[in-house]
Amino acid sequence: TIGGVAVLYSLLAREKKTTSSTTVQQLPISDELAQVEAGQIKESTEFIASLQSLRSASIQAANQGKVSQIFVKKGNQVAAQAPLLEINPSNQVAEVNNSNSTRNAKLQTTQVQLQNARNILQELEAQLLSKLQNVRLNQERYEKYSNLAAEGAVSKQTRDEYAQRLQAAKLEFNRLDATIKRQQATVSKLELESRQAQLDSVNKVSLPVTKKAQDYKINAPFKGTVANISVKVGDLVKPSTRVVTVTQNQPLEVDIPVSLENKSQLRKGMLVEIINAKSENIGTGKVFFISPEVNSNTNTVLVKALFDNPEGKMQAGQFAKARINWNQHSGLLIPTAAVFRIAGEAFVYVAEKINNTTANSQIVAKQKQVKLGKIVDNKYQVIEGLQPGEKVVVSKLLNINNGDILTVQ
């Protein structure tokens, strides 16, 4: 082919240049070398995962009044029972006339909450169809570009970009589907509360007429992070007004949609590496749940891992990469800096001694084609082309030709 002729011509030209230059005094090129070394090659897969809080509480005002103090700021770490804010009760709450009006108010509040929850559920279910259509669209595009990549019409990078888009679309669908299930549970809970409130109203169960001042100080229900403050000092609130949200970020649940083809390799207790947006490994977690069901829309299995998040760098609601290591084996590794490419093929310069029998032996750069595997910690796995102990050039590759004399830094 034309491409093959071009590569052969290039290589022959470089060889010819080297041969013809042996009669000229050549200045050695100062370079750094690295040894071909044995290492552990991990067989792993990365997935886009979402981080979820194991505990989250959206705290509501228990009575009517005015916000008088706020003791925390958004993002603060708080201990269990730490004071968050204080509400001064209005006369209507501090001087309750009778228990019947209180029960009626609770019934009305519960019914309003129930209706709002049902409305939210309807909106979420309407969004789910749109997310499903988005998954199908991205699936079609991925299949199209995957076929084109197999035929050489587009690059593997382009195919991988569409694969990432498909993965993100599936993750959005899964998250919305999980949100709908939680909202359905909320509706069921409010339906029970509404029925109980109706019984209480009919039975006219009385409540205490007065409340102590500390009843209006809202405390953290558990150790966590202040995720949101919905009010400010001076705001008027009423029962069921959401005032502050506390979320637990240590530990975090890592939700990972794993491809169905990897299902047979999944095991509880497997280590999962957590990687942030800067491609930094920030810790590991262990798989504690493997869904027995397959999501037919995304062809994935939901896997949950527990991440201690010891330094608190990640927050609930964020995305991260989850790398699952399936197995590992020994292999040869070279620095990525040692590799250069010609017409898409990978080459390195191997440092070889010539004139070994003479006192003035020299080191020259010998160009070798190599077959590479995965990148492991900025090193390529070498499948073919090199032997253990050989040394490769890792600097000034653009200034070197095949056969050039080297001096080692």
Side-chain angles (χ1 to χ4, degrees):
T1 64
I2 295 177
V5 173
V7 173
L8 180 60
Y9 179 80
S10 174
L11 295 176
L12 289 175
R14 299 183 80 162
E15 292 285 356
K16 183 177 181 181
K17 178 178 178 181
T18 303
T19 304
S20 62
S21 62
T22 55
T23 58
V24 180
Q25 184 67 32
Q26 181 188 14
L27 293 176
I29 300 173
S30 178
D31 281 283
E32 296 179 14
L33 303 180
Q35 185 166 300
V36 180
E37 58 185 21
Q40 292 298 312
I41 312 298
K42 294 181 179 179
E43 296 293 336
S44 62
T45 308
E46 290 185 0
F47 303 94
I48 299 175
S50 61
L51 306 181
Q52 306 291 339
S53 175
L54 294 177
R55 297 181 70 184
S56 180
S58 184
I59 305 170
Q60 300 176 345
N63 49 21
Q64 184 171 315
K66 180 184 292 186
V67 179
S68 58
Q69 293 187 72
I70 298 177
F71 306 111
V72 293
K73 295 181 179 179
K74 183 178 179 179
N76 283 171
Q77 302 292 319
V78 293
Q81 297 305 312
L84 303 176
L85 53 85
E86 189 173 64
I87 300 174
N88 282 340
S90 64
N91 290 334
Q92 293 93 324
V93 175
E95 301 173 359
V96 178
N97 292 323
N98 56 68
S99 61
N100 294 332
S101 60
T102 302
R103 289 298 186 180
N104 289 334
K106 183 177 180 180
L107 173 59
Q108 293 175 0
T109 299
T110 304
Q111 289 176 336
V112 170
Q113 289 178 327
L114 177 57
Q115 187 58 48
N116 289 340
R118 286 171 173 168
N119 292 339
I120 292 173
L121 180 59
Q122 289 178 352
E123 292 175 3
L124 292 173
E125 289 173 341
Q127 294 175 22
L128 190 64
L129 179 59
S130 174
K131 296 295 183 184
L132 177 58
Q133 292 173 341
N134 188 40
V135 169
R136 290 173 176 170
L137 177 61
N138 280 280
Q139 181 71 41
E140 292 174 358
R141 289 177 175 173
Y142 168 70
E143 291 175 355
K144 172 184 176 182
Y145 282 92
S146 180
N147 292 333
L148 290 174
E151 296 171 357
V154 297
S155 65
K156 292 182 179 179
Q157 182 179 359
T158 300
R159 180 202 62 189
D160 292 344
E161 288 176 359
Y162 280 94
Q164 291 177 359
R165 293 180 187 178
L166 174 59
Q167 188 72 8
K170 290 178 178 179
L171 187 57
E172 288 181 4
F173 179 88
N174 286 340
R175 291 193 66 189
L176 183 56
D177 188 48
T179 301
I180 288 175
K181 288 184 173 65
R182 290 194 293 269
Q183 190 64 22
Q184 289 171 338
T186 299
V187 170
S188 298
K189 180 182 177 182
L190 286 172
E191 287 174 344
L192 289 174
E193 291 179 358
S194 178
R195 287 194 290 270
Q196 183 62 49
Q198 288 174 347
L199 291 174
D200 291 343
S201 179
V202 171
N203 295 330
K204 302 184 186 301
V205 179
S206 61
L207 293 174
V209 174
T210 59
K211 292 179 180 286
K212 296 180 181 180
Q214 60 262 34
D215 290 343
Y216 306 126
K217 185 176 286 186
I218 296 178
N219 300 325
F222 49 79
K223 179 182 178 181
T225 303
V226 179
N228 188 44
I229 301 174
S230 307
V231 295
K232 59 183 181 295
V233 173
D235 280 357
L236 293 173
V237 297
K238 57 184 180 180
S240 79
T241 299
R242 293 184 180 181
V243 292
V244 62
T245 302
V246 178
T247 300
Q248 188 182 73
N249 289 316
Q250 293 175 302
L252 288 171
E253 178 185 295
V254 185
D255 289 357
I256 314 166
V258 176
S259 301
L260 182 58
E261 61 189 27
N262 299 122
K263 184 177 184 296
S264 61
Q265 297 175 275
L266 292 170
R267 299 288 185 275
K268 288 184 179 180
M270 293 180 71
L271 286 181
V272 177
E273 298 178 41
I274 312 301
I275 302 167
N276 64 14
K278 297 180 180 179
S279 298
E280 298 170 336
N281 189 323
I282 57 173
T284 59
K286 286 188 176 181
V287 173
F288 69 88
F289 172 79
I290 301 171
S291 175
E293 299 178 354
V294 176
N295 188 316
S296 58
N297 294 313
T298 59
N299 215 31
T300 58
V301 175
L302 178 62
V303 173
K304 296 178 182 286
L306 198 62
F307 172 46
D308 288 338
N309 195 24
E311 298 180 12
K313 291 183 178 180
M314 304 302 289
Q315 303 290 323
Q318 289 184 310
F319 291 94
K321 288 183 179 179
R323 178 187 296 152
I324 300 180
N325 296 314
W326 308 114
N327 55 63
Q328 64 181 25
H329 57 84
S330 60
L332 298 181
L333 299 171
I334 58 172
T336 54
V339 178
F340 63 95
R341 296 184 183 276
I342 300 175
E345 300 296 331
F347 293 84
V348 297
Y349 285 117
V350 176
E352 292 190 356
K353 283 187 178 181
I354 59 174
N355 301 326
N356 286 330
T357 57
T358 63
N360 59 342
S361 62
Q362 294 177 319
I363 298 176
V364 299
K366 181 178 179 181
Q367 180 177 300
K368 280 190 176 183
Q369 185 173 357
V370 291
K371 183 177 179 181
L372 304 175
K374 295 184 177 181
I375 295 179
V376 181
D377 297 330
N378 293 322
K379 293 183 179 181
Y380 272 116
Q381 174 192 5
V382 180
I383 298 175
E384 293 179 4
L386 294 175
Q387 297 298 323
E390 289 185 306
K391 294 183 178 181
V392 292
V393 181
V394 294
S395 66
K396 303 179 183 178
L397 298 184
L398 295 177
N399 300 328
I400 301 175
N401 290 310
N402 190 31
D404 280 351
I405 300 173
L406 305 175
T407 59
V408 181
Q409 293 183 1

